[in-house]
Amino acid sequence: MRDAYQEQLDELADALADMCNQVADAMSKATRSLLECDLQLAEEVISEDIRVDEVRAVAEERAFALLALQAPVATDLRIVVSAIHGAGDIERMGDLALHVAQAARRRHPLPVLPAEVAPYFAEMGRVGVALALKAGNVIRSRDLAAAAELETDDDAMDDLHRHIFTVLMDRHWSHGVGPAVDITLLARFYERYADHAVAVARRIVYVVTGRMPGPLAV
């Protein structure tokens, strides 16, 4: 009975880690659609988003079943509760990738990004995907050092987010209000995507240590 219970906990963690891989792939495709004006990639992200929602629903169903049938305590209870919250964070990452793809589709065949900001979004996409993949690895490994690294890695996204505003506020900006609004929203989508990846890592710290999510300390 205990072996079956542990297997259920492991399956729950695997489902969340797989979700991280899914949203990493979604953000990779969404970023490419944005940079390359690729409508097909944008449509793929939009149509595949429902799969992330479905995995979240299944993961939450498993978690609530464990709460009801197994009455977990201590570390096991923290695993189940964190899985419920983590599934929400990861689904939101998928939604943010979806928003990026929708922006690319909305402006197609015109580019969303002026040439001078495109490299920053390419880097934001790279950082975001790396954070999502690392979050999935942390879920599986419960590695506190790797969890702490996500906090540091997120600093790169914050720096890029801030730099976007210096570009927009430059007096030589010549692309008007519409592109500036698009860029502001897109930069926020990437920044929030990274924040949710960090939140997932913080929940793993909570699982392992019993400390409530907050600034990571190893």
Side-chain angles (χ1 to χ4, degrees), residues 85-107:
H85 290 290
D89 283 311
I90 302 166
E91 183 193 27
R92 184 58 183 151
M93 292 167 73
D95 290 340
L96 291 161
L98 170 68
H99 295 335
V100 173
Q102 288 173 329
R105 182 176 68 174
R106 185 169 57 251
R107 297 299 185 194

Side-chain angles (χ1 to χ4, degrees), residues 110-130:
L110 299 175
V112 180
L113 303 174
E116 60 262 47
V117 299
Y120 301 113
F121 280 92
E123 182 64 9
M124 291 175 90
R126 187 196 66 77
V127 172
V129 169

Side-chain angles (χ1 to χ4, degrees), residues 15-30:
L16 295 182
D18 288 343
M19 280 183 73
C20 287
N21 292 338
Q22 285 180 278
V23 300
D25 185 57
M27 184 54 89
S28 176
K29 288 180 179 178

Side-chain angles (χ1 to χ4, degrees), residues 47-66:
S47 63
E48 291 171 0
D49 181 64
I50 192 171
R51 297 181 186 175
V52 177
D53 298 340
E54 290 170 348
V55 175
R56 178 195 177 174
V58 171
E60 287 186 339
E61 184 178 337
R62 289 177 179 174
F64 285 123
L66 286 168

